[in-house]
Amino acid sequence: MSLPNYIEIFSENFLTQHCTITESGDNPEYMYDQNPNTTWLSTSALDSTDEQITIVFKDEAGTETSKTFDTLIIQNTNVEDFTFEYHNGSTFVEISSSAITSNTDENVIVDFASSVSASQIRITLSDTMVADNKKQIGQLRVCKHLIDMDTVLTNFNRQNYSKQGHYYLNSGNLFHWKEFEKIKGKLKLSNLTLTKRNTLKEEVSARNSLTIIFYRDFDDNDIFEFAVIASVYEWLDRKTQLFELELSLSEK
């Protein structure tokens, strides 16, 4: 069995509750609720009817704002064909080489050929894997790739956190309940150049949020949005002039 490739670190998800989402389906908030199992569904169940999702990026004050992104992550989808466009200030323009056809994966990661800066993005959904089903999306993430990880060593000390409990009934049977489970842990990054160290620290300082793909080629369900919940620990090897950072992460 081949070993999985290195993890990938991205910016925060630019799709938040502050954005305006225009679509014709149900529950658009499910696209950013941190739960891939709750799904946005289109109104139509016909493959002959395309569905469009338009996102306007906004800040916490509700002001439309431009974002720079190069990656879209779509989880728990049944869509075969996607087209991605950005608004150039006058009209929507297709993002070069980004269209996906004949998709068979529930999780889709779209890497653009180059980064895009825009305040609006539009996604067109065409056929579904099983003909004439409602189109669905469990999670939609719009992010920017932060650093090249090819020479970086990583170690994630993962510990799941859950809200759950149990008690015994009068009959002696065990009753167990569970409301949710999240992951947390410490991510240690070694062999960081000064440039990579600065990029990560600036991102954490500005937003305290990261999106991480742990095993793209191994298990593409392991994609999470994290809050950085403590100050960054940092070491410098003065001989190699390489840095080591430790990030305390909790899933949002």
Side-chain angles (χ1 to χ4, degrees):
M1 181 181 69
S2 61
L3 294 175
N5 288 335
Y6 43 78
I7 70 171
E8 298 168 80
I9 300 180
F10 301 84
S11 69
E12 65 178 344
N13 182 12
F14 298 133
L15 174 57
T16 69
Q17 72 271 24
H18 305 296
C19 297
T20 297
I21 304 176
T22 303
E23 44 70 53
S24 63
D26 298 320
N27 303 114
E29 69 276 8
Y30 286 167
M31 286 189 277
Y32 55 81
D33 68 352
Q34 314 297 332
N35 183 359
N37 296 316
T38 56
T39 56
W40 166 84
L41 293 173
S42 65
T43 300
S44 172
L46 297 175
D47 278 357
S48 59
T49 301
D50 287 350
E51 297 286 340
Q52 288 189 328
I53 300 171
T54 302
I55 298 168
V56 180
F57 301 115
K58 293 185 176 181
D59 59 22
E60 293 183 1
T63 303
E64 184 172 341
T65 182
S66 180
K67 300 292 185 181
T68 300
F69 51 91
D70 55 22
T71 306
L72 265 72
I73 303 168
I74 304 169
Q75 289 182 275
N76 192 10
T77 187
N78 64 347
V79 178
E80 281 191 334
D81 302 325
F82 300 87
T83 302
F84 305 97
E85 301 169 288
Y86 73 97
H87 200 271
N88 65 5
S90 301
T91 187
F92 279 99
V93 179
E94 186 171 351
I95 299 173
S96 177
S97 303
S98 66
I100 292 178
T101 59
S102 302
N103 170 58
T104 58
D105 296 326
E106 292 182 356
N107 301 319
V108 179
I109 302 171
V110 188
D111 301 298
F112 300 154
S114 58
S115 60
V116 174
S117 294
S119 63
Q120 298 183 37
I121 186 172
R122 185 166 69 186
I123 304 171
T124 301
L125 315 174
S126 299
D127 297 342
T128 51
M129 298 176 195
V130 177
D132 296 329
N133 275 357
K134 287 190 174 185
K135 300 167 182 68
Q136 72 176 48
I137 291 178
Q139 289 292 277
L140 174 60
R141 297 182 171 99
V142 185
C143 308
K144 179 176 174 55
H145 183 263
L146 291 182
I147 63 172
D148 186 355
M149 296 285 287
D150 57 345
T151 61
V152 178
L153 299 178
T154 61
N155 179 56
F156 184 56
N157 182 15
R158 174 172 173 169
Q159 179 184 1
N160 285 23
Y161 170 78
S162 63
K163 184 177 181 181
Q164 62 182 324
H166 68 275
Y167 57 86
Y168 284 97
L169 304 176
N170 289 336
S171 63
N173 293 328
L174 178 69
F175 179 82
H176 176 264
W177 59 270
K178 181 176 181 180
E179 292 187 10
F180 65 84
E181 184 170 17
K182 300 278 188 176
I183 75 169
K184 63 178 181 178
K186 294 185 182 297
L187 175 63
K188 185 175 289 187
L189 305 165
S190 305
N191 289 355
L192 289 164
T193 63
L194 177 61
T195 300
K196 293 179 181 180
R197 171 259 191 193
N198 288 347
T199 298
L200 278 177
K201 290 201 70 177
E202 288 168 6
E203 183 71 19
V204 170
S205 176
R207 300 175 181 85
N208 281 326
S209 295
L210 297 172
T211 304
I212 295 181
I213 301 175
F214 281 101
Y215 315 112
R216 182 195 290 229
D217 59 340
F218 190 73
D219 183 359
D220 56 12
N221 287 303
D222 261 9
I223 303 173
F224 301 98
E225 294 176 41
F226 288 104
V228 183
I229 60 171
S231 298
V232 177
Y233 286 89
E234 178 179 349
W235 297 266
L236 168 63
D237 186 326
R238 296 186 182 275
K239 183 176 180 179
T240 63
Q241 297 186 19
L242 296 173
F243 290 83
E244 182 174 297
L245 299 181
E246 185 177 274
L247 307 176
S248 296
L249 304 176
S250 283
E251 183 185 357
K252 289 186 173 182

